[in-house]
Amino acid sequence: MNIPQSSFPRVVIIGGGFGGISLAKKLSHKEFQVVLLDKHNYHTFQPLLYQVSTGGLEPDSIAYPIRKVLQGYPNTYFRLTEVNKIDTNINCVDTSIGSLKFNYLVVATGSTTNFFGNKAIAKNSMAMKSIPQSLNLRSLILENFEQALLTDDLHEREALMNFVIVGGGPTGVELAGALAEIKKGILPKDYPDLDTRRAQINLVQGSDRILPAMSIKASEKAEQFLESLGVNVWKNLRVSDYDGNIAKTNTETIFETATLVWAAGVKAVGIKGLDAKDYLCRGNRLRVNEFNQVGSFEHIFAIGDVAQMESEEYPYGHPMMAQPALQQGHHLGKNLVRITEEKAMVPFTYNDKGSMATVGRNKAVADLPKFKFQGVFAWFIWMFVHLYFLIGFRNRVVVFINWVYNYIKFDREARLIIRPFKKKYQVNS
Amino acid sequence: MNIPQSSFPRVVIIGGGFGGISLAKKLSHKEFQVVLLDKHNYHTFQPLLYQVSTGGLEPDSIAYPIRKVLQGYPNTYFRLTEVNKIDTNINCVDTSIGSLKFNYLVVATGSTTNFFGNKAIAKNSMAMKSIPQSLNLRSLILENFEQALLTDDLHEREALMNFVIVGGGPTGVELAGALAEIKKGILPKDYPDLDTRRAQINLVQGSDRILPAMSIKASEKAEQFLESLGVNVWKNLRVSDYDGNIAKTNTETIFETATLVWAAGVKAVGIKGLDAKDYLCRGNRLRVNEFNQVGSFEHIFAIGDVAQMESEEYPYGHPMMAQPALQQGHHLGKNLVRITEEKAMVPFTYNDKGSMATVGRNKAVADLPKFKFQGVFAWFIWMFVHLYFLIGFRNRVVVFINWVYNYIKFDREARLIIRPFKKKYQVNS
């Protein structure tokens, strides 16, 4: 892997998400050699992926080159690779570009879509956890409308304009709201020769309220917002099968749809060699102690979505979102420095800054520790917070301008169908 | 294809480039039914593709949804499709989504890369005539540097950092300049553990000067600019073969390179059924008369790159660039209206507004009809003109902000490797 020897201990971080990046930043200019591994050369700001899927933002403005983050950090190395497995006996990471010994290992691999073993749904539905997936969904949505124009079969046309989003968490709610705004603001202008009123947006939630991790007031208000936008909200309904055309549920309800987005669950991205029963939890998470140490290892840590730090308040670990990852990365950085200074590590405590979800223009819900509010003000706070946490000044400016433009014009211009391209030039491509 | 019958004559336009779009605009609100066909759902601003390849701009800001251009035009239809052939006996276009009769046909298919029959080069080199191709080149350039880090074989490492651009026209010159700026401004910061001074940028031109379509002064100055940026300019050299590793030339010079960009020629995109000997010219162009009529057809027209309108001043037709396409599209729109008004058509005359090429920051060359100048002023004019011709207010603002940012920070942030994605979700993607 061509990482030079160093007199400092080597910290290998797997994953350049919120956790991995915040740790790498914290360790810069400290007495460590830091090696960050990721399968993408960019950090993805996942909370805004749904805006890429719906043409509101360009992918380049919510992603950021990892090398750019690490510019000017001495003793910090980035390698673009996939990790195959960990050998905890010899403290070695095995990757697609060779193996690497570590003194400290930090697993920050994040999470991926959880289909709960349903292969048909995994094969036929769309997920939205990465930039390529989001671009893929954007293309499919646009292609479906192009195709709907061409058919005289009313059944088929409605299936092409019927969107089923499974999962009433923030991702599902935000995507449903954005699609509803596209239906209202863009489709009638883009497709004057298609009766786009027949387009349906269905949000399917297994439990009795959407946004179940938020307050009841937030759930109720979000549902009202969605209904005012024309989204059909289905509660206590679970999609059990999907063959690409028909989605079956646990009741007699079925959906004929060409587009099923699966946002009903996530699971941690596990790594071979770090999967002993005593610390592997449900959904692939790794049980860590209050110092983020995995199992009984003193030098192997997990942070963010992949870490399950159980406590009285969080019996199943912290929520799998940006804040715990950011805070754990930051905190672990301090603890690693303490180790080298031969000081005792400090237990992690989570500072819950609350949670938010946006449904549409002027419509958001926010549960902050001291206030719960909904509507225009929540929507402004939501935008401000997302701009604040976005990495890169240029990204912030470009996202801000797009939002202002989209707000004034009721528009989303990034609606290009950009589909697979081969590694080398293809004649006629 | 589900295009309704209309009492107005139907104009089918093949291609949503500069020519097709300017014609469709001109015919809006006129007594025609307009059907625009394109294989992409967006218009591509080709002059800035090299900035996508080099991470300076996002693809979404130089492309524009065709449906958005046509919003609010009555009797105008867009269909996303590829044209198979034309049947001139029954006035019918055969496409991948069905066939369509026309009263008037306008071929505005533009041009594609010309490998002059060399299959090895076509297979192993990169072209840069579309958004997917440009994203592909961007990814390849970045992947090569990631790979260069990993090898201890100095030969291989240098081949990975060696760029050969074949063709000294505006595309080749602009790409070479942009790569040289990346080498200087970004690589040393992104790859501190790689000796990026060894990266080489070679521009290979078959004739005795680069930018041969411009003035001698422009050629000389562009060459000086390139050399000041560290680009190796090779003249009177032709690349004859490339196997993915070694590029051979007509002399004993060879290049060991992992990246060969072919910008040495274009040819018109021909259509089956419109290929009779009496009007098919070299490079697939269709010979048209001064009214853009193809061969002896009165109702079939060609505009832009695909049209060869021969005159004393332009014995081989107009240059294959945006201006003739824009002007011919606009002019043909007026002539079609004149036909319905039973007036005689007006011959097309080309208003040569000059040509420009940019090499790098503060470095451009411009040949305007009355002035020829080089340097900072030409660079400002170049930027202004490109912003002016870009479609869409949001695109202009986003491009402008990116340029200001890139200028101040000596940076280009859109350097994400985004590679093929499948139509449906892939587990572990």
Side-chain angles (χ1 to χ4, degrees), chain B residues 18 45 47 50 66 68 100 104 188 207 232 239 245 250-251 284 289 315-316 341 344 349 369 389 397 400 426:
Chain B
F18 288 110
F45 191 75
Y50 81 97
I66 292 177
K68 172 91 186 162
L100 187 68
Y104 300 99
S207 69
N232 309 320
V239 171
N245 296 304
N250 60 325
T251 71
N284 280 347
N289 64 12
Y316 300 104
E341 290 169 347
T349 49
F389 280 104
V397 174
F400 178 71
Q426 261 190 310

Side-chain angles (χ1 to χ4, degrees), chain A residues 424-427, chain B residues 115-127 239-248 260 262:
Chain A
K424 289 284 189 171
Y425 179 74
Q426 260 191 311
V427 181
Chain B
F115 297 102
F116 304 102
N118 191 317
K119 284 184 189 163
I121 293 178
K123 182 167 171 251
N124 297 308
S125 73
M126 307 293 288
V239 171
S240 55
D241 196 15
Y242 177 57
D243 64 1
N245 296 304
I246 309 271
K248 291 182 187 163
L260 186 133
W262 187 259

Side-chain angles (χ1 to χ4, degrees), chain A residues 74-218:
Chain A
N75 297 318
T76 303
Y77 298 84
F78 171 72
R79 289 294 180 270
L80 182 68
T81 182
E82 292 203 51
V83 172
N84 300 324
K85 67 171 202 281
I86 312 291
D87 189 332
T88 54
N89 293 317
I90 54 169
N91 293 332
C92 187
V93 180
D94 179 49
T95 79
S96 54
I97 56 168
S99 58
L100 187 69
K101 292 261 196 179
F102 57 81
N103 298 102
Y104 300 100
L105 176 70
V106 182
V107 182
T109 43
S111 57
T112 185
T113 306
N114 193 351
F115 296 102
F116 304 102
N118 191 317
K119 283 185 190 162
I121 293 178
K123 182 167 172 250
N124 297 309
S125 72
M126 307 295 288
M128 208 178 63
K129 284 287 284 180
S130 71
I131 298 256
Q133 286 174 354
S134 300
L135 285 173
N136 217 8
L137 178 56
R138 176 175 97 179
S139 293
L140 182 68
I141 293 168
L142 293 164
E143 284 171 344
N144 283 348
F145 281 100
E146 296 296 333
Q147 226 181 309
L149 275 174
L150 304 178
T151 179
D152 288 319
D153 180 338
L154 196 65
H155 243 62
E156 191 191 343
R157 193 189 300 158
E158 291 194 347
L160 286 163
M161 303 201 291
N162 193 12
F163 296 89
V164 176
I165 299 152
V166 186
T171 303
V173 167
E174 292 177 339
L175 182 62
L179 284 174
E181 290 194 335
I182 288 176
K183 177 188 167 182
K184 203 173 146 195
I186 296 172
L187 292 186
K189 283 189 254 169
D190 261 16
Y191 298 91
D193 43 340
L194 194 65
D195 185 359
T196 53
R197 287 169 304 181
R198 288 180 184 275
Q200 295 287 324
I201 296 131
N202 299 287
L203 180 67
V204 180
Q205 166 68 343
S207 70
D208 62 354
R209 62 180 176 111
I210 59 168
L211 300 176
M214 293 186 70
S215 65
I216 290 179
K217 180 77 188 154

